[in-house]
């Protein structure tokens, strides 16, 4: 059993500007979107914000617009709404495939695109009750001084586990941010850094308002391994998008989640373009994944298993997409 | 403005099982606690207390949500349905009847959440396949592990409604 949630004040601003204003007025505040992860953490005593700023009243971020050229998905759009959007799924199959694997059906009715992209990093030494963490001297991510996963190191190794990020990365997504200095757009990959304690590059007064996607006619998919077939976060998750066929690849992007402190857009895949999808190519992808995935002991499953699982998923997805055994955008 | 404002309550207006009610609700109150302690509707259960088991599932505006990780204040102006609202005029709802007749309830603790999740499914998809039922209930745990009878009960209820 977890302890009761602490007292806080709930604000429900109606516009992006009002959210930013509230954020700048309340230093010890947190943004809450669907709350499916944040509320669980607050119940465990992880963080004690005095103000929660809810995004549920902000109409602007709750819409999706799909055009022949691409799409803009508001950060407040729920995962269930992403799944219900057939046009979005047809253009960006990996996105729908990833959305389908997030948590359980009732969570998907609350959880949002922005919440999943800004999901807190996770670790077996962090996602525990207050007494559990206290008895262990807390950890580097919250209230403690040592990362129990890598006690000799000086950084937190908590792992990013969002499912949407890799799917959006392989589709070349950009994110739109709003802050007191105005709005800006940047590649999704730039939203993250490899630090489990501070994996988001958002400024304190910035919020994610939307995701922009360009339609590129790529075949794409997403797959993950997890302990329980529903509900669980990925032990390793992989998205692949490609153009071409088994004879030769014209485009190939691979992205990982559940292995590092931020989602990873695999480097080096350009060198595989023009080559046939055969055992040699799949082995090359396997090697790239194994080199760039850096799982450590943040889950009960071993780090080596997660590295091998990520590589295996990347091989399988690439093979099935190249041979046409997956949905085509 | 202070960065440490005091906790506060606000008047929340919610349509619970078809009847509007107004209550002073603390900002940090969870929907499950509001339903059980303020509204006196103890049919909704607190299981894992962390959004993992589905025992606390209720319908908000017709879709299932885990009430143990939903803030009550965010339901202001919305419709909430619990297991107590299912039976009408002293007659069991078709899902309740089917769970009873198919022995879908064993210890019964997960049953309210199972029934609410199943009701959300049947409203959207009146004739679900077995795979669709299993998928819709994938967020609901039964520690008695009576899943076969639960799925059967939902199938029988779906047939009864068609």
């Amino acid at each position: 059993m977890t302890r009761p949630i602490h007292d806080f004040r709930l604000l429900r601003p109606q516009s992006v500007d009002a959210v930013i204003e509230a954020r700048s007025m309340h230093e010890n505040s947190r943004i809450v979107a669907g709350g499916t992860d944040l509320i669980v953490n607050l119940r465990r005593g992880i963080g004690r914000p005095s103000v929660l700023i809810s995004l549920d009243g902000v109409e602007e971020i709750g819409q999706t617009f799909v055009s022949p050229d691409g799409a803009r998905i508001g950060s407040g759009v729920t995962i269930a709404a992403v799944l219900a959007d057939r046009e979005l799924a047809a253009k960006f199959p990996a996105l729908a495939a990833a959305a389908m694997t997030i948590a359980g059906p009732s969570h998907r009715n609350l959880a949002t695109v922005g919440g999943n992209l800004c999901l807190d990093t996770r670790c077996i030494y962090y996602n525990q009750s207050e007494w559990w963490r206290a008895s262990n001297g807390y950890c580097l991510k919250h209230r403690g001084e040592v990362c129990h996963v890598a006690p000799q190191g000086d950084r937190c190794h908590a792992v990013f586990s969002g499912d949407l990020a890799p799917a959006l990365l392989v589709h070349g997504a950009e994110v739109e941010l709003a802050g007191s200095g105005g709005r800006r757009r940047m590649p999704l990959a730039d939203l993250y850094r490899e630090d489990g304690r501070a994996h988001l590059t958002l400024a304190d007064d910035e919020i994610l308002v939307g995701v922009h996607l360009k339609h590129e006619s790529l075949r794409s998919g997403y797959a993950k391994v997890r302990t329980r077939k529903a509900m669980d976060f990925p032990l390793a998750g992989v998205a692949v998008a490609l153009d071409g066929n088994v004879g030769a690849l014209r485009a190939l992007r691979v992205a990982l989640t559940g292995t590092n402190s931020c989602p990873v857009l695999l480097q080096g895949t350009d060198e595989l373009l023009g080559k046939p999808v055969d055992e040699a190519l799949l082995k090359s992808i396997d090697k790239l994944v194994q080199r760039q995935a850096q799982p450590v002991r943040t889950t009960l499953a071993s780090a080596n298993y997660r590295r091998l699982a990520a590589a295996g998923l990347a091989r399988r997805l690439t093979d099935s997409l190249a041979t046409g055994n997956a949905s085509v955008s | 403005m202070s960065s440490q404002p005091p906790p506060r309550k606000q008047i929340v207006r919610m349509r619970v099982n078809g009847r509007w009610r107004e209550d002073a609700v603390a900002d940090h109150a969870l929907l499950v606690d509001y339903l059980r302690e303020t509204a006196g509707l103890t049919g909704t259960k607190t299981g894992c207390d962390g959004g993992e088991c589905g025992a606390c599932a209720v319908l908000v505006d017709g879709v299932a949500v885990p009430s143990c990780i939903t803030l009550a204040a965010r339901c202001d102006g919305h419709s909430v349905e619990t297991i107590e609202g299912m039976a009408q005029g002293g007659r069991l709802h078709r899902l309740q009847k089917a769970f009873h007749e198919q022995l879908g309830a064993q210890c019964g603790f997960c049953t309210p959440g199972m029934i609410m999740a199943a009701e959300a499914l049947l409203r959207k998809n009146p004739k679900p396949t077995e795979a669709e039922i299993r998928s819709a209930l994938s967020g609901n745990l039964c520690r008695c592990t009576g899943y076969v009878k639960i799925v059967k009960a939902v199938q029988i209820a779906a047939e009864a409604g068609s």
Side-chain angles (χ1 to χ4, degrees), chain B residues 26 39 63 84 107 130 135-136 140 148:
Chain B
V63 299
E84 287 89 345
C107 83
E130 182 181 336
S135 172
N140 295 70
V148 170

Side-chain angles (χ1 to χ4, degrees), chain A residues 2 5-10 12 25-26 28 32-34 40 43 50-51 54 56 105-107 109-110 228 230-231, chain B residues 1-5 7-8 27-28 30 49-52 63-66 68-70 73-74 76 135-136 138-139 141:
Chain A
T2 51
I5 204 162
H6 74 281
D7 287 342
F8 54 76
R9 185 174 173 197
L10 180 70
R12 300 176 75 194
M25 281 165 64
H26 302 288
N28 185 22
V32 59
V40 176
R43 296 202 73 181
S50 52
V51 174
S54 173
D56 65 334
S106 63
H107 298 82
N109 290 328
L110 295 174
R228 177 179 164 196
M231 307 286 284
Chain B
M1 190 177 287
S2 161
S3 62
Q4 295 287 330
R8 62 167 188 179
D27 282 4
H28 68 279
L30 295 162
D49 230 11
E52 294 172 25
V63 299
V65 302
C68 78
I69 53 171
T70 301
R74 296 220 303 183
D76 185 32
S135 172
S138 61
L141 288 179

Side-chain angles (χ1 to χ4, degrees), chain A residues 66-117:
Chain A
V66 185
S67 70
D69 299 333
R72 180 197 185 272
I73 309 169
S75 60
V77 171
T78 64
I79 306 300
V82 169
L83 280 169
D85 195 322
R86 290 186 181 180
E87 221 180 336
L88 208 53
K91 283 189 160 63
F92 310 103
L95 178 62
M100 192 59 209
T101 69
I102 294 172
S106 63
H107 298 82
R108 295 195 287 265
N109 290 328
L110 295 174
T112 66
V113 169
N116 196 261
L117 290 177

Side-chain angles (χ1 to χ4, degrees), chain A residues 150-170:
Chain A
Q152 309 300 324
D154 58 359
R155 84 163 180 92
C156 165
H157 289 268
V159 69
F160 180 78
S161 305
D163 291 295
L164 294 187
L168 291 168
L169 281 172
V170 297

